[in-house]
Amino acid sequence: MCGIVGYVGGSDAGSFLLNGLRRLEYRGYDSAGVAVHGGAEINITRSVGRIDALAGELGETPPAGMLGIGHTRWATHGPATHENAHPHVGGEGEVVLVHNGVIENFQLLKDELIKKGYEFKSDTDSEVIAHLVAEGLKKTPENKEQPNMRYVTAVQWAVAQLRGTYGLAIAFREKPNMIIAARFGSPLVIGVGRGEYFLASDATPLIGSTERIVYMADHQLAVLTPEGFSVLHRDQGKVRVDIRPLETESNEVSLEGFDHYMLKEIYEQPESIRNAMRGRLDEQDATAVFGGLNLTPQQLRGVERIILTGCGTSWHSALVGEYLIEELARIPVSVEYASELRYRNPPIDNNTLVFGITQSGETADTLAALRETKRKGHRTLAICNVVASSIAQAADGGVYLHAGPEIGVASTKAYTSQCCVLAMLALYFGRMRHLSYEGGKRIIEEMQQLPGAVQQALTCDVQVRDVAQKYKDVSNVLYLGRQYNFPTALEGALKLKEISYIHAEGYPAAEMKHGPIALVDEHTPSVFIIPHGTTYEKVLANMEEVKARGGPVIAIASHEDPQIESIADDVIRIPSVPEILQPIVSVVPLQLLSYHIALLRGCDVDKPRNLAKSVTVE
Amino acid sequence: MCGIVGYVGGSDAGSFLLNGLRRLEYRGYDSAGVAVHGGAEINITRSVGRIDALAGELGETPPAGMLGIGHTRWATHGPATHENAHPHVGGEGEVVLVHNGVIENFQLLKDELIKKGYEFKSDTDSEVIAHLVAEGLKKTPENKEQPNMRYVTAVQWAVAQLRGTYGLAIAFREKPNMIIAARFGSPLVIGVGRGEYFLASDATPLIGSTERIVYMADHQLAVLTPEGFSVLHRDQGKVRVDIRPLETESNEVSLEGFDHYMLKEIYEQPESIRNAMRGRLDEQDATAVFGGLNLTPQQLRGVERIILTGCGTSWHSALVGEYLIEELARIPVSVEYASELRYRNPPIDNNTLVFGITQSGETADTLAALRETKRKGHRTLAICNVVASSIAQAADGGVYLHAGPEIGVASTKAYTSQCCVLAMLALYFGRMRHLSYEGGKRIIEEMQQLPGAVQQALTCDVQVRDVAQKYKDVSNVLYLGRQYNFPTALEGALKLKEISYIHAEGYPAAEMKHGPIALVDEHTPSVFIIPHGTTYEKVLANMEEVKARGGPVIAIASHEDPQIESIADDVIRIPSVPEILQPIVSVVPLQLLSYHIALLRGCDVDKPRNLAKSVTVE
């Protein structure tokens, strides 16, 4: 999703901006640009496509200057063109800015500005803000005593008219030493150096440049100059901020010999699952322990309902969590799309605990849904991967995945780690209630086998390659599973959709008869997730129904299943694990299948079209 | 889905069988067959495709006889071939039967029978039962005093070995005057005549032949001869049965000038909605009234949770019901896929009310889920269209849709009537709780406008034709909506999938960013359901995101929306109704869109491939 970087200080801005934008690449974008203040003029360079294209555009002697802002854009209003790339110019060039977020009332504002004579060069909502700030400057007289304040006032006037979300970095032609930043609903981090200050939409670009950072909060503005920085509340004046250490996890971001981050991350899963469980399985008491829940056992014992909310892949892990928690702890669980929950206002009982699930911790919809339920007085917890992310700060407490940075846009290891954390939470809540010591102990033993089972599942790679070769040219695929493997079907379909652009769709296997089976013909394969379990024979009957209509069948089946080969056209084998842990193992061949098919189709596996790694707009 | 007919009496069996099978056609099937007992031999005729083909096969002088059984098959095991069509023969021809349902352990039984020397001519699970009955006859000595009992015993022995579901009609070479029927999980109805008895999988084929019927229950066997009929429990001997009048609704099954039943049913919606509301809106008390809930106001006041369960289109109306009941009555609602609920065993509170929603009342998964929750002591209610259907008999009470027979396989008027009934239930529960007299009165007034609004929505037909013409050749479509129009998106996508075989998929509009947007390109249109409402501007922003990636946009928008034309490529207008009632109006253009696209693609609108009208197998 869109990314922001900014620099003001005594060094050349360009190199930090380019390096910073490269660090943000993994979030997904379709165009990029930088603006560098040369003292008298601001030089803007924009480019469609990758950062490499932008670097080429800048050439060997890029514009010099000690103040600059940069941006990667994920298109929301208007296609990915040169004109729509940031930075955008306001007025006659007196304002230059980059913007993350979505402005909902931009059309109205744009119409008014056009009436006033402002000319628009792009389709974006962001250009509206640039002109608004220019208009704000017109309206604001100079302030001799505090010259910077005129610019702050202009920005305050401009953002007061916006409906929507924004993270802004703004430079001014007349101020070669000052950046103003503003945040509402779109994260911004200030990096504190010595005589130089940095700005970024998350902490990643700051690694190596500074070790002290400040997370801006909603409604805050910041003024950055080489002499120092100050943060103001939009309406209430100056605020004191906490300078925190920049926590970075180990440098797990090289490819380490793999062709793609996605493949590397798929293969990291035995390790990332181990990390998710490290120190959290308590054999002594046959339960799980978590450090950061920030709730007393009494409070947790009082939980009568659980809501799990998330988007995309995290929504799928929430579905797995529903089955796990309801089975092990007998606490009723509701799974909600975060984007629906935030506006829906459903009746929620007292003693309901809300979990927001997001890899990045920055997913706008999940963050908003969590804040909305927290505002209503419910306890909220986060399950996320990125330490000190927005959701980790917003929730009452939470559980980190410790999966290491996930760079591939299609989530893999974060998904299995989420399932793993939810299994431990189910064990924990279960042991508080109906689950016996023996039952808890058995689950712990089974969980300890998981990294080995996933390791073994990865050996299906060879089989999967053959299957990928055979089906790489299909246009449609159905993914079908039941109970614990219904979310697996959804997740397998999403993976294929995301990186190969094949229309894949997941369904509960039995639901297929109620419509989707109309799609079945010899060109539309169905992937059945059918390891041994309670509904094995039922799913087998559904498989027969597909076969009877001439549809090719790919089965993800247990090693110990002699029957399956007589029905399915292709079989991929996975090791047997107890049903409650199957989602963590059975998804592995589906991740590999989508990877190999995408590769054979020549798709950009790590940076699929149209997608962003963490979706920080609504 | 599969259908059964049977006849024993003094007239020619053939004509009843053929007419009966024609009456069952609307349920969807892919092959058919009849067996007529000629006295010494049983003559079997089978055919792939329509009943007309079977009639052609039978020719002008069909085999004569006064006992016969017939079948329409919807393939579950093995493709739709001549060999797999019913009736099937057991042993050396001494047994002939037709079967509805699915036998899960058929492979095991088949292997054993092959070892014993039985020869199989088909891939079906049903042929296994035929041979099993033959084997049962071998094992059972003749019974001189009660000669029929030998055959009953053989059938009892056979069905005792089956795991799965069955509705069976069995004829025997040595018994030209006797049919044995058996039921478990697949409905059978006996028609009681004078000196003649009928059998069918639902009451439709019996209309005109008799007015007295008996619904068989699970585990029952029936023996039909021209002298009379008797019903036995599988293990407990003879049972007394109730003979009921055959209730039939008016003869609304002609096409009345429309080209297809589906189109006729779409156009019937103003009337069917009116029928759903008739006598149920109480202006005096500003609430709704229902005749058949069979629960006291005190019991209903005590309801603290509601579960809505169904399959396919009914599952979509359940999602609408969730939004309605949670908003108007503030009772938390869970929506469950019936096929998942029946095996999942989720924790369910006391004071939970379970609704099973199904047009036909025969949907196997919904029926089983309802029975499972009833068995656990929860109160159960049915929302269904077919009077005296299995679910109506199984539930504690319920609400009929009164939509008249729905013949098109793709449900249209039943869906809007389900939404309408759920709105009235929400009003009723709301008025028991937080909803004021004024609030109830306003909703009643708004509901009374509904038939008119749907009538007005139907006038979009001309616009829809143009849109259909433009997009008829696409391979993929996304349907996007939020809140009340999210289920509409799912339902619109399902309609297109069912009858045009285009891969369409519905999503909450904001969820699209988390994966599905990867599918968007110039060949993949998105249908946005975006009437005025609380999330209008949010959905507009999602629409911009799709436009920015070059995807064509079709908008279903309010008449009073001047802005939409500047963004969407095609706009279909619908009248404005309050948000809670929008699902009933906004689905109309989507029904028409799928109809016209399917027509342009040359698809069989009323009998789409692979599908069955009511899914009576798991």
Side-chain angles (χ1 to χ4, degrees), chain B residues 123-407:
Chain B
D123 312 318
T124 64
D125 51 346
S126 310
E127 193 180 3
V128 168
I129 313 175
H131 284 317
L132 265 188
V133 174
E135 175 74 9
L137 278 177
K138 262 196 211 162
K139 288 179 182 286
T140 316
E142 284 197 43
N143 183 329
K144 289 273 162 66
E145 289 182 15
Q146 292 181 286
N148 292 351
M149 271 316 285
R150 177 175 170 231
Y151 297 88
V152 170
T153 307
V155 172
Q156 282 172 324
W157 178 86
V159 298
Q161 299 180 60
L162 304 178
R163 205 165 63 237
T165 56
Y166 51 82
L168 292 166
I170 314 173
F172 301 89
R173 192 173 52 202
E174 315 305 328
K175 303 290 290 180
N177 294 315
M178 179 187 73
I179 293 175
I180 293 182
R183 149 167 193 167
F184 180 71
S186 200
L188 282 178
V189 187
I190 299 167
V192 181
R194 294 174 194 283
E196 58 182 2
Y197 294 87
F198 308 88
L199 189 69
S201 49
D202 70 44
T204 327
L206 306 179
I207 298 172
S209 296
T210 176
E211 282 167 4
R212 298 187 304 151
I213 58 172
V214 174
Y215 286 103
M216 285 180 68
D218 276 349
H219 301 300
Q220 287 185 349
L221 269 67
V223 181
L224 277 58
T225 69
E227 289 78 40
F229 78 101
S230 58
V231 178
L232 301 90
H233 186 277
R234 197 184 56 185
D235 315 309
Q236 297 156 12
K238 217 159 180 173
V239 290
R240 281 188 54 183
V241 292
D242 290 335
I243 298 180
R244 306 181 184 206
L246 171 56
E247 292 175 21
T248 55
E249 308 219 342
S250 61
N251 53 342
E252 298 170 78
V253 285
S254 86
L255 275 168
E256 291 167 18
F258 286 92
D259 289 340
H260 295 93
Y261 283 106
M262 184 181 175
L263 189 64
K264 169 172 172 269
E265 287 155 7
I266 291 172
Y267 271 86
E268 277 173 354
Q269 289 178 107
E271 190 58 28
S272 56
I273 290 167
R274 207 171 276 127
N275 285 339
M277 297 194 292
R278 199 183 301 282
R280 285 175 174 162
L281 293 177
D282 178 349
E283 289 178 71
Q284 188 82 32
D285 290 335
T287 186
V289 285
F290 299 97
L293 297 185
N294 299 342
L295 294 170
T296 65
Q298 286 72 24
Q299 288 171 324
L300 290 165
R301 184 67 182 80
V303 169
E304 288 170 6
R305 295 263 150 191
I306 289 176
I307 292 177
L308 304 175
T309 192
C311 304
T313 290
S314 301
W315 185 78
H316 296 161
S317 69
L319 290 176
V320 173
E322 178 184 14
Y323 284 86
L324 281 165
I325 294 170
E326 292 202 339
E327 177 161 345
L328 297 186
R330 307 298 297 161
I331 303 172
V333 175
S334 299
V335 175
E336 299 269 351
Y337 287 109
S339 63
E340 291 289 288
L341 178 60
R342 63 184 294 192
Y343 293 116
R344 196 158 78 81
N345 196 29
I348 301 179
D349 304 315
N350 292 343
N351 302 323
T352 297
L353 180 61
V354 180
F355 281 92
I357 309 178
T358 146
Q359 188 280 129
S360 68
E362 304 293 346
T363 313
D365 286 322
T366 310
L367 201 51
L370 190 98
R371 285 190 172 133
E372 173 70 9
T373 49
K374 188 177 180 185
R375 204 193 49 70
K376 293 188 178 227
H378 300 291
R379 299 186 192 282
T380 57
L381 291 174
I383 298 176
C384 72
N385 194 29
V386 178
V387 175
S389 53
S390 294
I391 206 165
Q393 297 175 66
D396 295 320
V399 186
Y400 284 122
L401 303 180
H402 297 313
E406 189 177 65
I407 308 294

Side-chain angles (χ1 to χ4, degrees), chain A residues 113 161 190 197 216 271 286 312 382 389 430 560:
Chain A
L113 286 163
Q161 299 180 62
I190 299 167
Y197 295 88
M216 286 180 68
E271 191 56 29
S389 52
E560 309 76 10

Side-chain angles (χ1 to χ4, degrees), chain A residues 10 34 65 73 75 135 152 190 213 311 328 357 448-449 478 502:
Chain A
V34 293
R73 173 171 188 254
E135 175 74 10
V152 170
I190 299 167
I213 58 171
C311 304
L328 297 185
I357 310 178
Q448 286 164 338
Q449 308 297 318
L478 293 177
I502 293 172

Side-chain angles (χ1 to χ4, degrees), chain A residues 4-7 13 17 21 33-37 42 67-71 87-88 96-98 169-171 179 199:
Chain A
I4 286 176
V5 288
Y7 175 85
L17 297 181
L21 291 179
V34 293
V36 176
H37 206 309
I42 301 176
L67 179 151
I69 54 179
H71 191 261
H88 288 289
V96 175
L97 61 72
V98 294
I170 314 173
I179 293 174
L199 190 69

Side-chain angles (χ1 to χ4, degrees), chain A residues 344-589:
Chain A
R344 197 159 76 80
N345 193 32
I348 302 179
D349 302 316
N350 292 344
N351 303 320
T352 296
L353 180 61
V354 180
F355 281 92
I357 310 178
T358 147
Q359 188 280 131
S360 67
E362 305 293 346
T363 312
D365 285 323
T366 310
L367 201 51
L370 191 97
R371 286 191 171 133
E372 172 71 6
T373 49
K374 189 177 176 183
R375 203 191 53 68
K376 293 188 178 228
H378 301 291
R379 298 185 193 282
T380 58
L381 292 173
I383 298 176
C384 73
N385 194 31
V386 177
V387 174
S389 52
S390 295
I391 207 167
Q393 298 175 66
D396 295 319
V399 187
Y400 284 123
L401 303 179
H402 298 313
E406 190 176 66
I407 309 293
V409 165
S411 177
T412 51
K413 64 176 180 176
Y415 174 73
T416 45
S417 289
Q418 285 168 351
C419 294
C420 197
V421 162
L422 285 160
M424 289 186 292
L425 282 167
L427 168 63
Y428 177 73
F429 281 108
R431 285 287 291 133
M432 281 198 154
R433 294 169 161 238
H434 312 290
L435 193 63
S436 68
Y437 181 84
E438 282 308 317
K441 225 172 148 61
R442 189 173 41 76
I443 290 168
I444 288 183
E445 284 161 15
E446 289 163 351
M447 289 196 74
Q448 286 164 338
Q449 308 297 318
L450 262 182
V454 171
Q455 189 75 57
Q456 204 192 329
L458 285 165
T459 62
C460 73
D461 202 4
V462 185
Q463 281 172 286
V464 171
R465 271 169 219 247
D466 292 343
V467 175
Q469 187 66 46
K470 186 164 162 192
Y471 294 102
K472 67 179 164 50
D473 296 320
V474 299
S475 306
N476 297 290
V477 187
L478 293 177
Y479 283 72
L480 302 162
R482 286 182 86 155
Q483 306 287 322
Y484 279 98
N485 287 308
F486 159 51
T488 311
L490 295 178
E491 175 61 7
L494 183 63
K495 287 290 92 84
L496 191 66
K497 201 168 351 193
E498 283 178 322
I499 63 169
S500 77
Y501 323 137
I502 293 172
H503 199 164
E505 190 171 6
Y507 268 102
E511 183 67 12
M512 164 209 69
K513 304 181 298 286
H514 301 281
I517 200 171
L519 294 182
V520 168
D521 59 20
E522 66 269 35
H523 307 299
T524 301
S526 297
V527 179
F528 280 86
I529 301 113
I530 185 175
H532 278 311
T534 44
T535 54
Y536 173 81
E537 285 186 341
K538 310 286 176 184
V539 181
L540 213 58
N542 300 139
M543 200 185 272
E544 294 268 16
E545 285 157 6
V546 167
K547 284 300 292 175
R549 279 151 194 85
V553 166
I554 304 161
I556 312 296
S558 303
H559 278 294
E560 309 76 10
D561 181 351
Q563 192 176 358
I564 197 83
E565 235 125 32
S566 66
I567 305 171
D569 298 280
D570 297 277
V571 181
I572 299 169
R573 299 287 183 173
I574 50 172
S576 290
V577 294
E579 254 177 297
I580 58 166
L581 301 178
Q582 279 174 0
I584 298 170
V585 176
S586 56
V587 79
V588 173

Side-chain angles (χ1 to χ4, degrees), chain B residues 88-103:
Chain B
H88 287 289
V89 174
E92 307 283 315
E94 53 269 32
V95 176
V96 175
L97 62 72
V98 294
H99 165 227
N100 282 0
V102 173
I103 304 304

